[in-house]
């Protein structure tokens, strides 16, 4: 029985961290692994309950409970002894079984991170999961590109479909092109990303109308930097030094 001891310990740590393994189960699993390690990794080995109770500090009922828990989880196999004979144990390796124990029970993002950090590589299953996570985050970071979208603006970074462009021209017949350029310049200068460029232009238009209405009613201008930025206004950085008059 060829076993990578360190890899098994790491796998069990990952598994117990996300699957509510009891302290008794943890103590028994580590004890059985240590015993089998001393025996040279046998496929099957026997050990008395009294020895296990001494090494794990578990009561008889606690030992029974922990052993049954590990068996139900598929981490060990156990054959009770007859008469005065000790029971026999078989350790079920995580290697080759990790997809059934760790992968299916961890949260998606934690799953791949822990496998990468602990050195696990389960072949096609692991690579498929990792690629799925990369694609998921790439989609979250990317704008919601409509079908047949074209690039507009001076910096070719405003994405609009033909239908969205027609809506933009209809809603802002006099300055639709200027609004595209405004967004294009802001994206290029700030590095910000938006899920929908049409929705962003519409949002800025509503804020512009609200600001103009407030100014017409005599309200003081806004000095809220976040609000100015939301309106597409680039706020310059200052070095904090006072000007010399």
């Amino acid at each position: 029985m060829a076993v990578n001891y360190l890899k098994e310990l790491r796998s069990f740590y990952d598994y117990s961290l996300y699957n509510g393994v009891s302290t008794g189960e943890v103590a028994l699993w580590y004890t059985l692994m240590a015993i089998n390690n001393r025996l040279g990794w046998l496929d099957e080995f026997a050990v008395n309950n009294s020895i296990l109770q001494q090494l794990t500090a578990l009561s008889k009922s606690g030992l029974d409970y922990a052993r049954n828990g590990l068996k139900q989880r598929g981490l060990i196999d156990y054959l009770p002894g007859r008469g005065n004979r000790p029971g026999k144990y078989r350790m079920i390796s995580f290697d080759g079984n990790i997809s059934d124990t760790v992968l299916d029970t961890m949260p998606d993002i934690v799953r791949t991170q822990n496998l990468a950090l602990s050195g696990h590589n389960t072949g096609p299953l692991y690579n498929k999961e990792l690629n799925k996570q990369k694609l998921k985050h790439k989609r979250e970071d990317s704008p919601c590109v409509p079908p047949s979208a074209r690039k507009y603006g001076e910096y070719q970074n405003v994405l609009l479909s033909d239908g969205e462009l027609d809506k933009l021209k209809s809603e802002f017949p006099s300055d639709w092109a200027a609004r595209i350029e405004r967004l294009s310049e802001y994206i290029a200068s700030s590095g910000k990303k938006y899920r929908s460029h049409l929705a962003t232009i519409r949002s800025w238009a509503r804020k512009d109308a609200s600001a103009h209405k407030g100014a017409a009613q005599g309200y003081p201008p806004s000095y809220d930097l976040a609000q100015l930025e939301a309106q597409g206004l680039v706020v310059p950085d200052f070095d904090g030094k006072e000007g010399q008059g």
Side-chain angles (χ1 to χ4, degrees), residues 20-151:
V21 180
S22 70
T23 55
E25 292 171 340
V26 171
L28 179 57
W29 187 90
Y30 278 116
T31 298
L32 292 173
M33 285 293 289
I35 292 174
N36 203 14
N37 183 42
R38 293 293 298 272
L39 295 175
W41 299 114
L42 301 176
D43 289 337
E44 190 177 79
F45 60 97
V47 55
N48 288 319
N49 287 345
S50 59
I51 294 177
L52 292 177
Q53 287 180 244
Q54 179 182 354
L55 295 176
T56 61
L58 292 171
S59 64
K60 185 180 183 302
S61 61
L63 176 61
D64 291 340
Y65 181 83
R67 181 168 51 215
N68 185 55
L70 292 177
K71 186 175 180 179
Q72 289 184 352
R73 293 177 185 276
L75 300 180
I76 68 169
D77 198 6
Y78 174 68
L79 181 64
R82 294 183 179 180
N84 295 327
R85 294 182 180 182
K88 294 182 179 180
Y89 294 84
R90 183 171 67 89
M91 306 304 296
I92 300 177
S93 173
F94 279 85
D95 191 17
N97 297 290
I98 192 171
S99 61
D100 297 328
T101 52
V102 177
L103 276 176
D104 293 338
T105 52
M106 282 187 180
D108 286 346
I109 186 61
V110 178
R111 180 188 310 171
T112 45
Q113 288 176 345
N114 275 272
L115 290 175
L117 290 174
S118 59
H120 294 307
N121 189 330
T122 58
L125 178 61
Y126 171 79
N127 294 329
K128 180 180 179 181
E129 178 66 27
L130 187 60
N131 291 333
K132 183 175 72 173
Q133 293 301 323
K134 289 181 178 179
L135 180 61
K136 177 181 177 182
H137 292 294
K138 182 177 180 181
R139 287 173 176 171
E140 289 176 351
D141 293 338
S142 301
C144 185
V145 181
S148 304
R150 302 190 186 197
K151 298 179 180 180

